[in-house]
Amino acid sequence: MARIEANQFKIPTPVQAAAIPPALEGRDVLATAQTGTGKTLSFLIPIVEMFEKVEGRDAHALPQVQALIVLPTRELAMQVEKAFRAIRSSSAQTVALVVGGMPEREQLDTIRRGARLIVATPGRLEDFLKRKLVRLAGVRILVLDEVDRMLDMGFEPAIRRIASTTPKERQTLCYSATLEGAVRDVARNYLKNPVRVEIGSTMKPAENVELRAFSVDQDKKQELLEHLLNAEQGSFLVFVRTKHGADRVARRLARSGHAAIQIHGDRSQAQRNSALRNFSEGRHRVLVATDVAARGIDVANVAHVVNYDLPKVAEDFVHRVGRTGRASARGVASTFAGPAERGDLRKIERALSIHMAHFRVRGVNAGTATEIAA
């Protein structure tokens, strides 16, 4: 409780209030909730409590790895590891980050020194298992986070093989933005009589995000973006479809005097870490991203999300927009659509049962909007 208080966590979010009590009782939990609802703490607190109880019984007889968190991306894994370090009740509750794209020696050294918790992406963890560099026979709690995303990325076989190396009598906590198709299969295969937690609609943006749509020609998008940057306060997270597009938009913003940086799949892990850190700490006001950053990146206080390019599917719209309006804060999400994309925009609205405020853009430059009409 002292660690929770020190980190300014005062009132549990709905998913925390619903998931933590059964998890503390040792029950399996199957939770669906909108992004930004505080689910990370809802599985970290039960893990810390489990460590406390086990350490109190027989510290010398403990198996090394007692808890395992599996999630889809490096960035999300790094966030979860950082959050665990912030709330753990003892430095003896050690954690190993096991992810691709980073040197494995340090990860293996941490495991060999007796890490109690592993936070991992499926690919690197499975590689370690195949090479017999890690054992999971002592895992008491298995967390599968962002399961829908892991399935989208083709990790179902890896999840199956990883789970098979953990004890059958473990506790399993499963989190997903949706509970459709293959996610139901995962729940059926790995959870026993789970407590079902469902917070709000998982296929709708949060109600505290103002949704705007701008009908704008492709060659006017950059000017409209710069106009919004000049007209409004706060940080901007801008989503584009391609890596080349992210580089181009960020370079043009920088030339216009805006502190902008890009993040996408061709950037090295060090570059991605640096971009996220500079954005979250305010050294860059604008982060231009492909969908690699749409899920799981918890950057506090993003004021404005811009869909510079339309997302491919409605679910991606929800995850992009979910980067703002987190933890009850207000946010704005603006979506740019060319004349040929109006039908696609309407499809997103129908799929999500939402209605955006629509504006037509005929004349705009970075300084003033000469004609933006509702």
Side-chain angles (χ1 to χ4, degrees):
M1 289 301 297
R3 297 302 304 153
I4 291 168
E5 181 71 20
N7 283 277
Q8 304 298 310
F9 298 125
K10 299 187 183 298
I11 301 171
T13 66
V15 71
Q16 291 163 3
I20 290 174
L24 290 177
E25 293 170 4
R27 298 283 305 276
D28 285 5
V29 173
L30 174 60
T32 49
Q34 288 175 301
T35 187
T37 53
K39 58 189 172 67
T40 300
L41 211 60
S42 76
F43 56 75
L44 288 181
I45 285 176
I47 287 172
V48 173
E49 282 289 298
M50 181 269 288
F51 286 158
E52 285 277 316
K53 290 176 184 173
V54 173
E55 286 166 4
R57 287 207 299 269
D58 188 356
H60 297 293
L62 294 175
Q64 287 190 343
V65 181
Q66 297 165 282
L68 170 64
I69 302 169
V70 184
L71 24 70
T73 66
R74 287 176 294 227
E75 287 83 5
L76 185 55
M78 291 161 68
Q79 283 173 200
V80 170
E81 184 219 18
K82 182 179 178 182
F84 174 76
R85 290 182 184 277
I87 69 158
R88 65 182 176 180
S89 55
S90 162
S91 59
Q93 296 167 2
T94 47
V95 56
L97 183 69
V98 175
V99 298
M102 298 172 71
E104 66 174 45
R105 177 176 290 181
E106 183 179 339
Q107 299 176 20
L108 290 170
D109 286 347
T110 308
I111 293 169
R112 290 178 184 126
R113 286 196 299 268
R116 300 281 173 80
L117 168 66
I118 287 179
V119 181
T121 50
R124 175 60 63 88
L125 179 59
E126 191 178 28
D127 176 54
F128 283 3
L129 287 168
K130 285 177 179 173
R131 293 155 59 194
K132 296 184 167 42
L133 298 173
V134 62
R135 293 183 71 248
L136 302 177
V139 167
R140 294 167 180 259
I141 297 180
L142 169 65
V143 178
L144 301 174
D145 191 19
E146 303 241 2
V147 170
D148 53 327
R149 178 64 167 160
M150 287 197 285
L151 296 178
D152 287 345
M153 296 168 72
F155 284 134
E156 191 278 329
I159 293 170
R160 184 173 65 248
R161 288 188 286 265
I162 289 166
S164 71
T165 66
T166 65
K168 282 189 166 56
E169 296 308 308
R170 66 176 189 266
Q171 178 184 9
T172 306
L173 312 177
C174 181
Y175 294 79
S176 178
T178 63
L179 191 59
E180 299 170 355
V183 180
R184 288 187 183 277
D185 294 337
V186 168
R188 191 164 50 245
N189 292 336
Y190 305 124
L191 283 79
K192 297 174 186 169
N193 189 27
V195 174
R196 181 79 174 89
V197 174
E198 186 170 7
I199 306 298
S201 168
T202 59
M203 273 301 288
K204 258 191 178 180
E207 291 183 0
N208 47 321
V209 177
E210 179 187 348
L211 301 176
R212 306 171 181 170
F214 293 88
S215 180
V216 57
D217 290 337
Q218 181 69 31
D219 63 355
K220 295 294 182 185
K221 283 185 177 182
Q222 187 82 22
E223 287 80 3
L224 177 58
L225 174 58
E226 292 186 31
H227 165 71
L228 294 176
L229 281 164
N230 290 329
E232 303 193 11
Q233 302 294 312
S235 58
F236 275 60
L237 179 51
V238 180
F239 284 105
V240 297
R241 189 172 292 126
T242 66
K243 302 166 190 175
H244 175 69
D247 289 334
R248 186 180 63 249
V249 171
R251 280 197 302 266
R252 288 185 63 182
L253 288 174
R255 283 200 298 268
S256 297
H258 298 283
I261 197 165
Q262 67 269 43
I263 179 172
H264 54 66
D266 279 354
R267 306 282 281 176
S268 70
Q269 189 61 43
Q271 288 173 319
R272 289 159 74 171
N273 294 348
S274 175
L276 285 170
R277 185 168 57 250
N278 287 339
F279 181 61
S280 63
E281 294 175 0
R283 285 189 288 275
H284 287 97
R285 184 187 176 202
V286 187
L287 180 64
V288 184
T290 56
D291 282 306
V292 70
R295 293 202 188 214
I297 302 301
D298 190 2
V299 178
N301 305 317
V302 175
H304 203 134
V305 165
V306 174
N307 291 309
Y308 190 94
D309 294 322
L310 273 186
K312 292 178 181 176
V313 295
E315 188 177 354
D316 287 343
F317 180 89
V318 174
H319 289 296
R320 288 180 177 191
V321 170
R323 302 305 98 206
T324 188
R326 297 171 78 82
S328 79
R330 302 295 299 175
V332 177
S334 295
T335 299
F336 298 174
E341 296 175 311
R342 288 173 192 162
D344 294 329
L345 189 62
R346 296 293 186 193
K347 280 182 188 174
I348 290 173
E349 288 184 299
R350 284 197 301 272
L352 301 176
S353 299
I354 58 173
H355 182 72
M356 307 181 211
H358 283 256
F359 301 88
R360 287 192 316 278
V361 180
R362 289 204 176 92
V364 63
N365 60 46
T368 58
T370 55
E371 189 179 346
I372 297 180

